Amino acid sequence: MTQNIRVIFDPALTGPENMGRDEALLECISQGESPPTLRFYQWDPPTISLGYFQKYREYEKLPPPAGELAVVRRTTGGGAILHDQELTYSMTLPLEHPVIARGPNTLYEIVHDALIDALHGDNLYSSRCGTTDDSGPARGPFFCFARRHCLDVLLGPDKLAGSAQRRSKTAVLQHGSIIIERRYEQQPAAAIDSSVKITADELGQKLIDSLIKITKLDFTNGSWRDEELNLADQMIDKYTSIEWTKRR
């Protein structure tokens, strides 16, 4: 089993396309058909993603302008996220990968510490939250960035980044959002200072550099396999369906 991690930078895609690609990676890596993968992506149009356990009626109560955005349901738990000017990542690894073998929270710790390190290079001093509130898979504030987990990344008093996982029997998918700019006041979140003038791709590369420093692993730019993209395309119907979106 290779410990090296393939890196994919995707263009901005719709919510169903993004969720389909993440699920395709989890399935292919679970089956041993694809290498461990770090994927970076963005969203077009701006989209609300609901946590797997959230009630759709919570979204229906959301007033404009956020309440008029596209909506998709994730396979991971937690609160809703308003995806707009941000960098989203997903890291998908087989369970026998040494990063996963260290413990259930290790992947959270590594990615979040890498982000803290990457921002420090731009004189942005973020930190782990350190405390956890009483939010759960199906309870807590509507937006994820109003919830607190001890491993979340804070910039000042506000949450800048959080992550969530989904596990199969043989692999784990972790994805999370890093807010670059805020255009919607309804989502309470920190954002990277606009004076830094950083693009999503630049932030992704800084995160890779910090991950290499922390993990001592190789992160190598790669590309999608046709089989992966074909599977992702097949999954789009699931994420656009009313049955999936309103399942709770």
Side-chain angles (χ1 to χ4, degrees):
M1 178 205 67
T2 179
Q3 297 182 13
N4 297 342
I5 297 175
R6 172 183 60 169
V7 179
I8 294 176
F9 281 86
D10 263 342
L13 299 169
T14 67
E17 288 172 319
N18 276 325
M19 295 299 92
R21 289 192 177 197
D22 272 358
E23 186 167 357
L25 282 173
L26 179 61
E27 183 166 327
C28 290
I29 292 171
S30 293
Q31 295 173 359
E33 297 172 352
S34 296
T37 300
L38 170 62
R39 174 184 174 232
F40 291 114
Y41 56 98
Q42 299 169 66
W43 303 69
D44 186 19
T47 300
I48 299 281
S49 74
L50 299 175
Y52 180 79
F53 297 99
Q54 282 191 297
K55 303 295 185 183
Y56 183 79
R57 64 174 177 268
E58 293 183 62
Y59 164 75
E60 292 182 303
K61 295 177 182 177
L62 191 64
E68 297 174 338
L69 298 179
V71 61
V72 68
R73 184 177 294 277
R74 306 190 306 270
T75 59
T76 53
I81 301 175
L82 197 165
H83 303 281
D84 184 29
Q85 303 296 310
E86 68 172 56
L87 175 68
T88 310
Y89 81 90
S90 67
M91 182 95 81
T92 311
L93 306 175
L95 290 184
E96 68 267 24
H97 193 280
V99 167
I100 303 301
R102 296 179 204 170
N105 287 329
T106 301
L107 188 55
Y108 290 117
E109 294 169 348
I110 285 174
V111 175
H112 290 185
D113 285 351
L115 175 60
I116 291 168
D117 179 75
L119 294 176
H120 187 271
D122 286 315
N123 295 317
L124 292 174
Y125 299 101
S126 56
S127 62
R128 290 192 197 177
C129 179
T131 60
T132 300
D133 63 19
D134 62 355
S135 297
R139 68 178 187 276
F142 176 71
F143 280 116
C144 170
F145 281 78
R147 303 182 182 198
R148 292 292 183 271
H149 184 275
C150 63
L151 298 179
D152 290 339
V153 177
L154 302 186
L155 187 59
D158 297 318
K159 185 171 172 179
L160 176 70
S163 301
Q165 289 184 357
R166 180 189 170 195
R167 290 179 176 242
S168 70
K169 292 181 179 180
T170 54
V172 59
L173 162 73
Q174 178 175 301
H175 56 194
S177 296
I178 306 162
I179 307 300
I180 297 176
E181 294 186 35
R182 287 182 64 217
R183 297 193 298 179
Y184 295 86
E185 293 299 324
Q186 287 160 285
Q187 176 170 241
I192 295 175
D193 192 327
S194 60
S195 65
V196 173
K197 305 296 183 185
I198 193 169
T199 68
D201 285 351
E202 289 169 345
L203 178 58
Q205 189 56 58
K206 287 177 180 289
L207 188 55
I208 292 169
D209 294 341
S210 293
L211 284 166
I212 291 171
K213 181 166 64 174
I214 289 172
T215 66
K216 312 302 182 186
L217 296 173
D218 290 328
F219 287 76
T220 305
N221 287 339
S223 57
W224 288 97
R225 297 167 49 245
D226 289 342
E227 294 82 359
E228 294 169 330
L229 288 177
N230 289 338
L231 180 58
D233 287 343
Q234 294 171 28
M235 292 178 173
I236 291 175
D237 286 346
K238 166 185 173 179
Y239 289 102
T240 56
S241 70
I242 295 299
E243 291 77 15
W244 172 258
T245 307
K246 295 186 176 182
R247 65 176 297 151
R248 295 184 181 276

